[in-house]
Amino acid sequence: TVEYARQIRLTDLLYPVWYVGIAAMLIWMLLSNLRFWRMLRRKRVPYEVAGCLYPVYLVADGLSSPCLFGLASPAIYLTPAAVETSERLRHVIAHESAHARHFDHLWALLRGLCLALYWFDPLVWAAAAASKADGELACDESALRQLGDAERIPYGRTLLALIPVGSRTPTALLSTSMTAGKRHLKDRVMRIAQNRRTVTAALFAVIALTAGVCAVTFTGGKPMPQTEEPRPLTGQP
């Protein structure tokens, strides 16, 4: 009798490649975050900020922008540029505190796990980038609610001064670094410049005007007089 070797299926090759990719991604994430954590531990100096609910540290160099880092006990890390003025410091603390309240450090972990599992899927990478961008926009709005609408323009100037556009400085995936592309930064500044109260008031005005027109049209008009007797649709008397 002749024995034939079992045919190699495509899945027999793809699954090992997938598993190797997952392992490589997890190792890379672990090492990059550990390296980032060691750098922060070596260079950070406690920085006193009155009224802040989270630990705050100043990092003299090696940090591209202010960030929130840590899982069990997240802390805010500042750059020298962030503490040049009290206004900048107030804006950065409000923004990073919003990240902590929104549990963005945990969402960053979830994004990292999704990227590790589906490293081959560009849609997952695009979704992770969109999720991070939405988190930044949400923190901008949360910070401005705390700071007040009068701080919108100064807050926008702080972002322009502190966010390194297109920076090549490596940052950990589990941090809420403020790095951004030109398009994303432009979108953030445009949203910040908008007065949300004015937009909301205009929306309610349009709704009220529409409701008033509908009320006059459908309830205030008089019925049209009948000039002739109604006739059946069949044409019969």
Coordinates of all heavy atoms in Angstrom, one line a residue, residues 137-175:
L137 N -9.6 64.7 22.8 CA -10.7 65.7 22.6 C -11.6 65.7 23.9 O -12.0 66.8 24.3 CB -11.5 65.4 21.4 CG -10.8 65.5 20.0 CD1 -11.7 65.1 18.9 CD2 -10.4 67.0 19.8
A138 N -11.9 64.6 24.4 CA -12.8 64.5 25.6 C -12.1 65.2 26.8 O -12.8 65.9 27.6 CB -13.2 63.1 25.9
C139 N -10.8 65.0 26.9 CA -10.1 65.6 28.0 C -10.0 67.1 27.8 O -10.0 67.9 28.8 CB -8.7 65.0 28.2 SG -8.7 63.3 28.9
D140 N -9.9 67.6 26.6 CA -9.9 69.0 26.3 C -11.2 69.6 26.8 O -11.2 70.7 27.5 CB -9.7 69.3 24.9 CG -8.3 69.0 24.4 OD1 -7.4 69.0 25.2 OD2 -8.1 68.8 23.2
E141 N -12.3 69.0 26.5 CA -13.6 69.6 26.9 C -13.8 69.5 28.4 O -14.3 70.4 29.0 CB -14.7 68.8 26.2 CG -14.8 69.1 24.7 CD -15.1 70.6 24.5 OE1 -15.9 71.2 25.2 OE2 -14.6 71.1 23.5
S142 N -13.3 68.4 29.0 CA -13.4 68.3 30.5 C -12.6 69.3 31.2 O -13.0 69.9 32.2 CB -13.0 66.8 30.9 OG -13.1 66.7 32.3
A143 N -11.4 69.5 30.7 CA -10.5 70.5 31.3 C -11.1 71.9 31.1 O -11.1 72.7 32.1 CB -9.1 70.5 30.6
L144 N -11.7 72.2 30.0 CA -12.3 73.6 29.8 C -13.6 73.8 30.6 O -13.9 74.9 31.0 CB -12.6 73.8 28.3 CG -11.3 74.0 27.4 CD1 -11.7 73.9 25.9 CD2 -10.7 75.3 27.8
R145 N -14.3 72.7 30.9 CA -15.5 72.8 31.8 C -15.0 73.2 33.2 O -15.7 74.0 33.9 CB -16.2 71.5 31.8 CG -17.2 71.3 30.6 CD -18.2 70.2 30.9 NE -17.6 69.0 31.2 CZ -17.3 68.1 30.3 NH1 -17.6 68.3 29.0 NH2 -16.8 66.9 30.5
Q146 N -13.8 72.7 33.6 CA -13.3 73.0 34.9 C -12.7 74.4 34.9 O -12.8 75.2 35.8 CB -12.2 72.0 35.3 CG -11.5 72.3 36.6 CD -10.4 71.3 36.9 OE1 -10.3 70.3 36.2 NE2 -9.6 71.6 37.9
L147 N -12.0 74.8 33.8 CA -11.3 76.1 33.7 C -12.2 77.2 33.4 O -12.0 78.3 33.9 CB -10.2 76.0 32.7 CG -9.0 75.0 33.0 CD1 -8.1 74.9 31.7 CD2 -8.2 75.4 34.1
G148 N -13.2 77.0 32.6 CA -14.2 78.0 32.2 C -13.9 78.4 30.8 O -12.8 78.3 30.2
D149 N -15.0 79.0 30.1 CA -14.9 79.3 28.7 C -13.9 80.5 28.5 O -13.4 80.6 27.4 CB -16.3 79.8 28.2 CG -17.1 78.6 27.8 OD1 -16.6 77.5 27.6 OD2 -18.3 78.7 27.7
A150 N -13.6 81.3 29.5 CA -12.7 82.4 29.3 C -11.3 81.8 29.1 O -10.4 82.6 28.6 CB -12.7 83.3 30.5
E151 N -11.0 80.6 29.4 CA -9.7 80.0 29.3 C -9.5 79.3 27.9 O -8.4 78.7 27.7 CB -9.4 79.0 30.4 CG -9.3 79.6 31.8 CD -8.0 80.3 32.0 OE1 -7.0 79.9 31.3 OE2 -7.9 81.3 32.8
R152 N -10.5 79.3 27.0 CA -10.4 78.6 25.8 C -9.1 79.0 25.0 O -8.3 78.2 24.5 CB -11.6 78.7 25.0 CG -12.8 77.9 25.5 CD -14.0 77.9 24.6 NE -15.0 77.0 25.1 CZ -15.1 75.7 24.7 NH1 -14.2 75.2 23.9 NH2 -16.1 75.0 25.2
I153 N -9.0 80.3 24.7 CA -7.9 80.7 23.9 C -6.5 80.5 24.6 O -5.6 80.0 23.9 CB -8.1 82.2 23.5 CG1 -9.4 82.4 22.7 CG2 -6.9 82.7 22.7 CD1 -9.5 81.5 21.5
P154 N -6.4 80.9 25.8 CA -5.1 80.6 26.5 C -4.8 79.1 26.5 O -3.6 78.7 26.4 CB -5.3 81.1 27.9 CG -6.3 82.2 27.8 CD -7.2 81.7 26.7
Y155 N -5.8 78.2 26.7 CA -5.6 76.8 26.7 C -5.1 76.3 25.3 O -4.3 75.5 25.2 CB -7.0 76.1 27.1 CG -6.9 74.6 27.2 CD1 -6.5 74.0 28.3 CD2 -7.2 73.8 26.1 CE1 -6.4 72.6 28.4 CE2 -7.2 72.4 26.2 CZ -6.8 71.8 27.3 OH -6.7 70.4 27.4
G156 N -5.7 76.9 24.3 CA -5.2 76.5 22.9 C -3.8 76.9 22.7 O -3.0 76.2 22.1
R157 N -3.4 78.1 23.2 CA -2.0 78.5 23.1 C -1.1 77.6 23.9 O 0.0 77.3 23.5 CB -1.9 79.9 23.7 CG -2.4 81.0 22.7 CD -1.8 82.4 23.1 NE -2.3 82.8 24.4 CZ -3.3 83.6 24.7 NH1 -4.0 84.1 23.7 NH2 -3.6 83.9 25.9
T158 N -1.6 77.0 25.0 CA -0.8 76.1 25.8 C -0.5 74.8 25.0 O 0.6 74.3 25.0 CB -1.4 75.8 27.1 OG1 -1.5 76.9 27.9 CG2 -0.7 74.7 27.9
L159 N -1.6 74.3 24.3 CA -1.4 73.1 23.5 C -0.4 73.4 22.4 O 0.5 72.5 22.1 CB -2.8 72.7 22.9 CG -3.8 72.1 23.8 CD1 -5.0 71.7 23.0 CD2 -3.3 71.0 24.6
L160 N -0.5 74.5 21.7 CA 0.4 74.8 20.6 C 1.9 74.9 21.1 O 2.8 74.6 20.4 CB 0.0 76.1 20.0 CG -1.3 76.1 19.2 CD1 -1.6 77.5 18.7 CD2 -1.2 75.1 18.0
A161 N 2.0 75.4 22.4 CA 3.4 75.5 22.9 C 4.0 74.2 23.4 O 5.2 74.1 23.4 CB 3.4 76.6 24.1
L162 N 3.1 73.3 23.8 CA 3.7 72.1 24.5 C 3.6 70.8 23.7 O 4.3 69.9 23.9 CB 2.9 71.9 25.8 CG 3.0 72.9 26.9 CD1 2.2 72.5 28.1 CD2 4.5 73.2 27.2
I163 N 2.7 70.8 22.7 CA 2.6 69.5 21.9 C 3.6 69.5 20.8 O 3.6 70.3 19.9 CB 1.1 69.4 21.3 CG1 0.1 69.2 22.4 CG2 1.1 68.2 20.4 CD1 -1.3 69.0 21.9
P164 N 4.5 68.5 20.8 CA 5.5 68.3 19.8 C 4.8 67.7 18.5 O 4.6 66.5 18.5 CB 6.6 67.5 20.4 CG 5.8 66.7 21.4 CD 4.7 67.5 21.9
V165 N 4.6 68.5 17.5 CA 3.9 67.9 16.3 C 4.8 67.0 15.6 O 5.9 67.4 15.2 CB 3.4 69.1 15.4 CG1 2.8 68.5 14.2 CG2 2.5 70.0 16.2
G166 N 4.4 65.8 15.4 CA 5.2 64.8 14.6 C 6.5 64.4 15.3 O 7.4 64.1 14.6
S167 N 6.5 64.5 16.6 CA 7.7 64.2 17.3 C 8.1 62.7 17.1 O 7.3 61.8 17.1 CB 7.6 64.4 18.8 OG 8.7 64.0 19.5
R168 N 9.4 62.5 16.9 CA 10.0 61.1 16.8 C 10.5 60.6 18.1 O 11.0 59.5 18.1 CB 11.1 61.1 15.7 CG 10.7 61.5 14.3 CD 11.8 61.4 13.4 NE 11.4 61.7 12.0 CZ 10.9 60.9 11.1 NH1 10.7 59.6 11.5 NH2 10.5 61.3 9.9
T169 N 10.3 61.3 19.2 CA 10.7 60.8 20.5 C 9.8 59.7 20.9 O 8.6 59.8 20.9 CB 10.6 62.0 21.5 OG1 11.3 63.1 21.1 CG2 11.1 61.5 22.9
P170 N 10.4 58.5 21.2 CA 9.6 57.4 21.6 C 8.9 57.5 22.9 O 9.4 58.1 23.8 CB 10.6 56.2 21.7 CG 11.9 56.9 21.9 CD 11.8 58.2 21.3
T171 N 7.6 57.1 22.9 CA 6.8 57.2 24.2 C 6.2 55.9 24.4 O 5.9 55.1 23.5 CB 5.7 58.3 24.1 OG1 4.9 58.1 22.9 CG2 6.4 59.7 24.0
A172 N 5.9 55.6 25.6 CA 5.2 54.3 26.0 C 3.8 54.2 25.5 O 3.1 55.3 25.6 CB 5.3 54.0 27.5
L173 N 3.3 53.0 25.1 CA 1.9 52.9 24.7 C 1.0 53.1 25.9 O -0.2 53.4 25.6 CB 1.7 51.5 24.1 CG 2.4 51.3 22.7 CD1 2.2 49.8 22.3 CD2 1.9 52.2 21.7
L174 N 1.4 52.9 27.1 CA 0.5 53.0 28.2 C 0.5 54.4 28.8 O 0.0 54.6 29.9 CB 0.9 52.0 29.3 CG 0.8 50.5 28.9 CD1 1.1 49.6 30.1 CD2 -0.5 50.2 28.3
S175 N 1.1 55.4 28.1 CA 1.1 56.8 28.6 C 0.1 57.6 27.8 O -0.3 57.2 26.7 CB 2.5 57.4 28.5 OG 2.8 57.6 27.2

